[in-house]
Amino acid sequence: MSRKLSIGIVGLPNVGKSTLFNLITKQQALAANYPFATIDPNVGVVNVPDERLKVLTDLSKSKKTIPAIVEFYDIAGLVKGANEGAGLGNKFLSHIRETQAIVIVLRAFENSDIVHVENSVDAKRDLEILITELILKDLDTVDKRLGSLEKEARTGDKSIQKNLEILKTVKARLEKGETVEDLGEEEIIKELQLLASKKHVYLINGSEDDLKPELKELLEKRGGHYLVVDLNEAENVDSLIRKAYETLNLISFFTTGEDETRAWTITRGALAPQAAGEIHTDFEHKFIRAEVVPYDKLKEAGSWSGAKQKGWMSLEGKEYQVQDGDVMVIRHG
């Protein structure tokens, strides 16, 4: 099953979250192309835009085209005190835990007809409220786990000791108001699904003129992955999906044939067996080799056999690092 990219849409009430979600749901993927669980009313499923798919479909005369997809979770507006259950607090925060990344929507536009929950438009303040709520919830989670780890560490188990040290580092950073995205790959943090360990994309709802210097400075300090969009004028969510891919370090590879042409999502740097595992879990363990033609070369050759004749197909083993746009045939036991 292909890796699904899931993004939680987070923000204070009346900042443009629903407008963004409406843009997304207008572009929902066809149910027939959606290989995952039942879609809740607050989940929008969108095809990842990729013009290479059509070229490959035409080239292979495929019966079906299956793009990669993104799930967007529309999460109830967050308010101060959400970490203690204010508003829909705890329900809201548990929904974020299930996503890979968070898009934080910040309102930068002025409009007296649209009431702001804090009674004034100040995107920098709103961002600080949101980050604080995520961090406070995580501190609660970390404190509970630290209590049990400290007891378990008395056994002298080195892995428990390591987890204890990681969580002490995490706690110290959270207490300083820092997120811990760089530690997101640690097993203990994956297990706890810490909110502050998730990658963030900031969507500024407004125009470039609305982006105040102090907000820009704070965004750059927090990682700099942001885009400015007037959601009332935005035609689509393509730029947001591209930004999410960039932030999460994701790339696409392809399989193509008469039956279907399909895009698969992997993390940049993944090796060929891991890519094969996205197609089917058995393929990772039984991987023998991959036949690989870069997309540009396949397009130029006009066919797989043409690319082979020109010497553009390579046979790659278990150490091959898959590149964005690779078209692959997996050989497995």
Side-chain angles (χ1 to χ4, degrees):
M1 184 180 285
S2 178
R3 178 189 302 265
K4 71 177 173 184
L5 171 56
S6 55
I7 299 176
I9 304 172
V10 176
L12 298 180
N14 291 346
V15 295
K17 284 166 56 269
S18 297
T19 310
L20 173 60
F21 192 69
N22 289 341
L23 281 171
I24 289 163
T25 48
K26 277 178 196 162
Q27 299 187 73
Q28 280 211 345
L30 293 172
N33 279 351
Y34 183 62
F36 304 113
T38 306
I39 303 167
D40 292 327
N42 65 333
V43 181
V45 185
V46 188
N47 294 336
V48 174
D50 198 325
E51 63 278 1
R52 296 173 294 187
L53 272 172
K54 185 179 184 313
V55 173
L56 291 173
T57 297
D58 292 346
L59 191 139
S60 298
K61 299 182 173 55
S62 306
K63 296 185 187 85
K64 281 194 299 187
T65 306
I66 304 179
I69 60 164
V70 182
E71 277 185 351
F72 282 94
Y73 284 70
D74 184 26
I75 295 165
L78 181 58
V79 293
K80 259 187 203 168
N83 71 92
E84 296 166 342
L88 291 171
N90 286 323
K91 186 182 175 189
F92 155 89
L93 292 164
S94 68
H95 278 148
I96 304 179
R97 287 198 192 287
E98 293 162 21
T99 63
Q100 283 170 273
I102 303 170
V103 55
I104 293 181
V105 182
L106 299 167
R107 175 178 164 183
F109 68 90
E110 295 278 357
N111 185 336
S112 56
D113 294 336
I114 302 172
V115 178
H116 192 292
V117 69
E118 292 289 325
N119 298 316
S120 63
V121 174
D122 183 341
K124 179 175 179 284
R125 173 206 59 212
D126 295 353
L127 175 55
E128 285 165 343
I129 289 172
L130 291 163
I131 295 291
T132 299
E133 291 304 322
L134 300 183
I135 284 172
L136 288 172
K137 188 67 179 175
D138 279 346
L139 274 170
D140 185 44
T141 304
V142 168
D143 278 336
K144 283 175 184 163
R145 191 73 180 93
L146 273 173
S148 59
L149 273 178
E150 278 162 356
K151 289 174 192 163
E152 292 167 31
R154 290 173 198 152
T155 62
D157 186 312
K158 285 185 178 173
S159 64
I160 292 172
Q161 195 63 45
K162 183 191 171 194
N163 284 339
L164 187 60
E165 292 309 312
I166 290 168
L167 282 196
K168 282 180 178 173
T169 301
V170 168
K171 182 176 178 179
R173 283 177 54 181
L174 291 174
E175 284 176 337
K176 288 183 196 164
E178 296 173 9
T179 55
V180 287
E181 292 170 47
D182 57 313
L183 298 174
E185 291 306 306
E186 297 286 358
E187 284 307 316
I188 184 72
I189 294 178
K190 282 182 183 173
E191 177 198 319
L192 294 176
Q193 293 183 299
L194 295 181
L195 307 168
S197 71
K198 295 186 185 295
K199 298 285 187 187
H200 295 63
V201 178
Y202 304 102
L203 190 152
I204 317 304
N205 186 7
S207 68
E208 289 287 347
D209 293 341
D210 295 321
L211 183 61
K212 305 269 172 63
E214 58 272 21
L215 173 60
K216 193 173 178 184
E217 189 182 326
L218 180 59
L219 291 168
E220 283 167 357
K221 183 182 164 191
R222 290 211 167 269
H225 295 286
Y226 69 89
L227 65 163
V228 182
V229 181
D230 184 338
L231 288 174
N232 293 314
E233 294 173 10
E235 292 294 320
N236 54 49
V237 290
D238 290 3
S239 56
L240 178 56
I241 294 171
R242 288 193 192 98
K243 182 61 78 172
Y245 260 62
E246 178 192 325
T247 304
L248 290 167
N249 211 17
L250 298 174
I251 59 171
S252 295
F253 75 95
F254 305 99
T255 52
T256 187
E258 282 185 19
D259 287 339
E260 67 173 42
T261 289
R262 186 166 189 156
W264 304 89
T265 301
I266 53 169
T267 305
R268 189 180 296 281
L271 301 180
Q274 294 170 301
E278 290 298 327
I279 299 169
H280 196 291
T281 46
D282 285 353
F283 292 2
E284 181 167 0
H285 309 297
K286 297 177 180 177
F287 177 88
I288 298 171
R289 64 178 183 273
E291 296 175 7
V292 181
V293 179
Y295 164 79
D296 289 339
K297 293 295 185 188
L298 185 56
K299 182 183 174 187
E300 189 180 333
S303 69
W304 190 264
S305 57
K308 208 169 176 176
Q309 282 168 7
K310 289 177 182 288
W312 291 341
M313 189 204 81
S314 58
L315 284 176
E316 303 293 352
K318 292 180 178 179
E319 296 306 310
Y320 176 68
Q321 203 172 88
V322 179
Q323 303 300 306
D324 184 53
D326 276 352
V327 185
M328 300 176 75
V329 174
I330 305 295
R331 301 293 178 203
H332 53 88

